[in-house]
Amino acid sequence: MFRGYSLRQREVVNIATAERLGFISDVEINDKTGNIEAIIVPKHGWLLKRLFGGGELIITWTAIEVVGEDLILVRLFFNSDTNRLQEN
């Protein structure tokens, strides 16, 4: 078991592309169940993107493969039609 604040210290890696996505900045929690729904990772160049929109990568809990001590492994694929990372 882990606490929500301990997730912020973990790096997120996409195992589909072996890309380091960054560190968790926040989590989305379902207010009725208390379950974590998604993790939020700032995109590269987050300051400019945050100022002009689109600065966060929201990864749903179902995309998470493994939660380890130091990092979190997720499986996301690049969709060339939408130009975005998404679940399979």
Side-chain angles (χ1 to χ4, degrees):
M1 186 164 148
F2 56 88
R3 299 191 182 270
Y5 66 83
S6 70
L7 289 176
R8 294 188 74 183
Q9 302 168 1
R10 297 180 188 173
E11 186 173 17
V12 179
V13 176
N14 185 359
I15 59 177
T17 62
E19 180 183 5
R20 300 169 101 170
L21 301 177
F23 289 86
I24 296 174
S25 64
D26 206 353
V27 295
E28 286 185 5
I29 299 175
N30 183 314
D31 57 348
K32 293 181 180 159
T33 65
N35 293 331
I36 296 174
E37 298 284 326
I39 58 175
I40 301 170
V41 178
K43 290 183 183 176
H44 299 293
W46 65 272
L47 181 58
L48 290 176
K49 289 182 181 178
R50 206 169 253 224
L51 290 173
F52 299 106
E56 298 175 332
L57 179 61
I58 299 172
I59 302 169
T60 61
W61 192 255
T62 56
I64 296 174
E65 295 285 328
V66 177
V67 177
E69 288 184 35
D70 298 342
L71 56 91
I72 295 175
L73 300 177
V74 299
R75 187 177 304 274
L76 298 171
F77 298 94
F78 184 75
N79 183 335
S80 58
D81 294 334
T82 62
N83 206 25
R84 295 180 179 260
L85 285 172
Q86 66 183 42
E87 294 179 50
N88 191 8

